[in-house]
Amino acid sequence: MFEINEVQIFLSIISGILVGFSLGLIGGGGSILAIPLLIYFVGFDHPHIVIGTTALAVGVNAYLNLIPHTLKKHVDYKIGLEFTIPGIAGVLIGSELGLLTPGNDLLFFFSFLMIGIAVYMLKRKCIDLSEMQRKVSNSSRSLAILILAGLIVGFASGYFGIGGGFLIVPGLLFGGGLNILQAVGTSLMAVGTFGVITAARYAISGDLDITISALFIVGGIFGGWFGARLAGKVPKRRLTQIFAVIVIIVAFYIMYQNYSVILHI
């Protein structure tokens, strides 16, 4: 486990609040900042432990958010299982490769993923629910799309410790024929399962800190509540663009830091 001091405990909670706040405010992508926050803000220079730790926090938060979506009947558990079960294979493969990849190399590759997610967020337009529902209402279910998307997202989740909701929702929309609300709710099944399994595999190798995960989860709950309260009062599209630019800046910083280390090896 980490040797943590009072300052790092405080910064871990603040990091969780920031991630939860961004998730509550813009509805996705916030967990991509969990790893750089713990490494560069809190000061834990252990990439594999940070990945295992954030994976657990992301997984638990997803399961907690699954409860209200289930009560609102926004979760299709049958389609969720069809997506999640194949994805578990991807998680196991990804986590094994992640543990074999040197920490600085892993962070360097992670910076490219961050840029890809940020570009996706910049290009994505705000979705009108009724329009999206019309687009997918005539879509037939495709088990092949569900399996393929599950494997891809599961691999990314296992390798980098991310939630992957930005990839899961489209897969459920067009592979499961769900509407946007059902896809968002059902995606939490996969995010939670992938996160917990990734964390379990990293824990077996000793690359997990329960205390930091708990602090991150507590901060995320409060941050998510505040973000959700503000979500309807500010232009979501503008906020998403600002957030994406921040992610790109952080990604280039991570790229620079770890590329420099790799060159000196």
Side-chain angles (χ1 to χ4, degrees):
M1 294 180 68
F2 290 128
E3 292 293 333
I4 59 175
N5 55 46
E6 292 180 355
V7 174
Q8 289 175 316
I9 290 175
F10 175 74
L11 294 178
S12 296
I13 296 174
I14 294 299
S15 296
I17 290 174
L18 290 173
V19 170
F21 181 77
S22 63
L23 284 170
L25 196 60
I26 65 175
S31 60
I32 199 70
L33 288 180
I35 292 173
L37 277 171
L38 284 182
I39 292 177
Y40 299 107
F41 180 61
V42 182
F44 295 134
D45 191 20
H46 304 78
H48 288 111
I49 300 179
V50 168
I51 287 174
T53 300
T54 55
L56 179 59
V58 168
V60 171
N61 275 325
Y63 278 143
L64 290 175
N65 286 314
L66 183 63
I67 297 172
H69 280 277
T70 298
L71 294 175
K72 294 177 181 177
K73 302 187 184 302
H74 292 163
V75 182
D76 188 314
Y77 281 92
K78 182 176 185 299
I79 292 177
L81 286 173
E82 292 174 350
F83 183 96
T84 302
I85 291 175
I88 292 174
V91 171
L92 295 175
I93 295 170
S95 58
E96 289 294 335
L97 289 177
L99 287 166
L100 292 173
T101 305
N104 292 111
D105 292 1
L106 198 56
L107 291 175
F108 183 69
F109 299 148
F110 182 69
S111 66
F112 286 96
L113 177 68
M114 291 180 70
I115 292 172
I117 292 173
V119 170
Y120 168 80
M121 295 177 74
L122 286 171
K123 294 178 65 177
R124 183 182 63 185
K125 297 180 179 178
C126 292
I127 299 172
D128 177 76
L129 297 185
S130 60
E131 179 183 351
M132 178 59 75
Q133 182 152 1
R134 285 197 299 272
K135 287 183 178 180
V136 300
S137 60
N138 295 323
S139 299
S140 58
R141 288 184 53 199
S142 172
L143 187 59
I145 291 178
L146 288 174
I147 292 174
L148 180 60
L151 285 170
I152 292 172
V153 179
F155 177 84
S157 182
Y159 193 70
F160 296 113
I162 64 169
F166 72 101
L167 286 174
I168 297 173
V169 171
L172 291 173
L173 280 172
F174 299 104
L178 302 178
N179 64 48
I180 185 67
L181 292 176
Q182 291 172 326
V184 170
T186 305
S187 72
L188 295 170
M189 284 181 61
V191 173
T193 303
F194 295 168
V196 169
I197 291 177
T198 297
R201 179 60 190 91
Y202 275 75
I204 291 172
S205 299
D207 294 312
L208 176 68
D209 191 289
I210 297 293
T211 302
I212 301 302
S213 281
L215 293 172
F216 212 88
I217 291 167
V218 170
I221 292 172
F222 284 101
W225 183 80
F226 284 114
R229 284 181 63 87
L230 289 176
K233 302 177 182 179
V234 289
K236 186 174 181 180
R237 178 59 181 159
R238 181 61 61 188
L239 285 170
T240 301
Q241 291 172 334
I242 294 172
F243 179 81
V245 171
I246 293 173
V247 169
I248 290 174
I249 293 171
V250 174
F252 277 113
Y253 177 77
I254 295 173
M255 189 183 300
Y256 170 75
Q257 289 290 326
N258 293 279
Y259 181 65
S260 301
V261 173
I262 293 170
L263 283 181
H264 287 87
I265 294 178

